[in-house]
């Protein structure tokens, strides 16, 4: 029997060297959150929390960490203290963003998140912001940027309005080579589509009635902003691919597809039906960059059994992805799993995180009262 599913909140690490535009990008997300409740951990370097003051008032749940780098903590327990505050049910958050100090080691933040024992969080990826106009100089002074880019899941090449087209293309090639297989998108003033970070929630927020933000809304906002005259939709930098199948997936083929996912494919989300591999559950899929997780969820009575996936990336081949997923469909077979199918399902189950035991859930509930 599948244990009760605990709601998990994605935690995104937003990194980049000083002046790359992280806070500008974060504020853009907070202004265009479309009812999504975002918690922010601001990891300022120094005792005056300038970034914390910049985002103050934009979001209801903010934890500011002054006087040093969060990434210098020796283990995950210190970060867990702050995450525990933001993951309490009363906060009702949909996403947590850690804005790392410009002098932080982002891979250490990622390590701590992956090592965290907080059952309410889910790693949401490392987003590295790069200043296009200053990249060469920053790289010369701080060669560690190559290491940061190497572990990124998404790279935002920011301030592209400050370089020419030829220079921008050169920078894209360099950054893509250093961050492979991460997706690389260009931006001005940190304005990227919020869907790259989260799925907009359709929920009233306070007295405000909200709805899902559309690309048209974002375009109108761009056109009404005097300091930002760049053209085009925010989603032009990436492509979204939908896939639906009423034929179950072969677990071995699907895992092979995921293990070999192409460069530039940033997010995969949705539900997979493995047919005889598990008749009782569909599998919610969360993939960001190199990170992959499945969560089994019981089928509802009378629910149509479908695989429904959305793939998001930059520079991806949509038709090749659809063809690859189509090739993952299972051949007709027995209604009950055979030995081969059971073995294949172990490839899926190794990406399933253990849910808290009932005693753990009761203890958490008691702690809240």
């Amino acid at each position: 029997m599948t244990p009760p599913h605990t709601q998990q909140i994605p935690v995104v690490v937003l990194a980049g060297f000083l002046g790359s535009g992280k806070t500008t990008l974060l504020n853009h997300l907070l202004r265009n959150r479309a009812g999504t409740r975002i918690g922010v951990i601001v990891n300022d370097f120094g005792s005056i929390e300038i970034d914390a003051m910049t985002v103050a008032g934009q979001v209801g749940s903010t934890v500011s960490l002054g006087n040093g780098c969060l990434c210098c903590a020796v283990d995950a327990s210190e970060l867990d203290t702050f995450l525990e505050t933001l993951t309490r049910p009363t906060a009702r958050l949909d996403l947590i963003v850690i804005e790392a100090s410009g002098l932080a080691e982002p891979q250490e933040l990622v390590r701590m998140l992956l090592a965290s024992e907080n059952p309410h969080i889910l790693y949401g990826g490392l987003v590295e912001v790069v200043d296009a106009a200053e990249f060469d100089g920053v790289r010369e002074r701080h060669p560690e940027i190559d290491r940061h880019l190497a572990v990124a899941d998404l790279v935002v090449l920011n301030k592209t309005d400050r370089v020419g087209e030829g220079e921008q293309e050169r920078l894209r090639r360099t950054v893509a080579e250093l961050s492979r297989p991460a997706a690389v998108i260009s931006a001005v003033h940190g304005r990227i589509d919020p869907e790259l970070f989260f799925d907009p929630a359709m929920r009233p927020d306070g007295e405000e009635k909200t709805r899902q933000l559309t690309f048209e809304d974002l375009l109108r906002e761009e056109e009404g902003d005097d300091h930002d005259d760049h053209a085009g939709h925010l989603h032009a930098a990436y492509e979204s691919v939908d896939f639906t199948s009423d034929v179950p997936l072969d677990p071995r083929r699907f895992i092979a597809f995921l293990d070999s996912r192409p460069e530039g494919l940033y997010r995969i989300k949705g539900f997979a039906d493995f047919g005889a591999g598990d008749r009782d559950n569909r599998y919610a899929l969360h993939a960001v960059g190199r990170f992959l997780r499945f969560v089994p969820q019981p089928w509802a009575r009378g629910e149509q059994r479908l695989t429904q996936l959305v793939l998001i990336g930059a520079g991806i081949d949509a038709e090749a992805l659809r063809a690859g997923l189509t090739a993952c469909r299972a051949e007709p077979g027995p209604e009950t799993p055979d030995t081969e199918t059971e073995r294949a399902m172990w490839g899926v189950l190794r990406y399933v995180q253990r849910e808290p035991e009932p005693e753990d859930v009761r203890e958490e509930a008691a702690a809240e009262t």
Side-chain angles (χ1 to χ4, degrees):
M1 180 177 178
T2 303
H5 174 55
T6 298
Q7 180 65 37
Q8 292 182 304
I9 303 171
V11 181
V12 174
V13 177
L14 180 61
F17 276 91
L18 298 168
S20 59
K22 299 186 300 298
T23 301
T24 302
L25 189 155
L26 177 58
N27 277 319
H28 167 70
L29 293 176
L30 295 174
R31 285 194 301 266
N32 296 279
R33 56 194 176 86
T36 301
R37 295 180 63 88
I38 305 175
V40 178
I41 296 177
V42 179
N43 169 217
D44 266 344
F45 186 82
S47 59
I48 302 177
E49 299 171 354
I50 301 298
D51 283 351
M53 290 188 288
T54 303
V55 299
Q58 295 276 2
V59 66
S61 299
T62 302
V63 177
S64 299
L65 311 178
N67 297 309
C69 279
L70 173 62
C71 68
C72 296
V74 295
D75 56 41
S77 61
E78 290 159 286
L79 177 58
D80 277 343
T81 300
F82 299 101
L83 291 173
E84 186 63 33
T85 300
L86 295 180
T87 56
R88 290 173 181 165
T90 52
R92 297 171 51 239
L93 294 181
D94 303 300
L95 176 75
I96 296 172
V97 178
I98 301 176
E99 184 189 355
S101 158
L103 301 177
E105 286 288 344
Q107 62 266 43
E108 288 304 306
L109 290 171
V110 172
R111 179 188 64 80
M112 287 190 285
L113 286 175
L114 294 178
S116 172
E117 296 183 356
N118 187 329
H120 304 295
I121 66 168
L122 182 69
Y123 176 57
L126 168 60
V127 179
E128 183 79 14
V129 184
V130 172
D131 183 338
E134 303 293 336
F135 177 71
D136 291 331
V138 168
R139 193 181 180 199
E140 182 178 348
R141 295 190 304 274
H142 302 283
E144 61 268 30
I145 193 173
D146 289 10
R147 185 173 67 249
H148 297 181
L149 287 168
V151 296
D153 299 300
L154 173 68
V155 179
V156 178
L157 185 61
N158 197 27
K159 305 184 183 181
T160 53
D161 56 328
R162 296 179 57 193
V163 298
E165 289 186 11
E167 177 69 0
Q168 181 180 159
E169 185 54 37
R170 179 190 70 82
L171 289 168
R172 281 185 61 86
R173 287 197 301 269
T174 300
V175 169
E177 180 67 29
L178 293 171
S179 62
R180 184 166 293 152
V184 180
I185 61 170
S186 299
V188 176
H189 300 296
R191 308 185 75 139
I192 66 173
D193 195 307
E195 189 178 353
L196 287 167
F197 274 65
F198 56 79
D199 303 318
M202 300 180 68
R203 179 203 297 117
D205 190 6
E207 296 301 317
E208 175 191 10
K209 292 185 178 179
T210 59
R211 58 180 174 80
Q212 181 167 326
L213 195 68
T214 66
F215 291 131
E216 288 74 21
D217 293 332
L218 292 168
L219 181 60
R220 281 197 295 272
E221 182 191 351
E222 283 189 303
E223 292 172 343
D225 197 339
D226 293 334
H227 75 270
D228 188 0
D229 59 358
H230 69 287
H233 290 269
L234 292 179
H235 69 291
Y238 72 92
E239 187 169 3
S240 178
V241 179
D242 298 330
F243 176 80
T244 301
S245 173
D246 58 2
V247 177
L249 300 184
D250 179 284
R252 180 171 283 111
R253 293 180 196 168
F254 188 48
I255 289 296
F257 171 86
L258 294 174
D259 286 344
S260 61
R261 50 194 187 271
E263 295 176 14
L265 183 56
Y266 173 55
R267 288 183 69 194
I268 308 176
K269 55 187 179 178
F271 302 93
D273 172 20
F274 292 114
D278 188 343
R279 289 292 181 192
D280 296 328
N281 296 293
R282 65 179 185 175
Y283 282 73
L285 168 61
H286 170 77
V288 55
R290 302 160 178 82
F291 179 81
L292 174 63
R293 178 167 295 166
F294 286 103
V295 179
Q297 300 176 354
W299 289 104
R301 185 184 298 274
E303 180 179 3
Q304 185 179 9
R305 301 200 170 199
L306 297 173
T307 290
Q308 296 177 298
L309 301 171
V310 178
L311 300 85
I312 300 172
I316 56 178
D317 186 333
E319 291 308 312
L321 288 173
R322 289 193 183 95
L325 287 168
T326 299
C328 292
R329 294 188 297 185
E331 303 293 337
E335 289 296 311
T336 57
D338 54 21
T339 302
E340 188 66 22
T341 302
E342 289 179 342
R343 287 176 180 168
M345 279 301 295
W346 279 110
V348 174
L349 296 176
R350 65 192 172 102
Y351 292 108
V352 174
Q353 184 183 40
R354 185 188 75 86
E355 294 288 352
E357 298 297 332
E359 308 84 75
D360 300 333
V361 175
R362 285 197 296 269
E363 288 174 4
E364 290 173 7
E368 293 295 328
T369 61

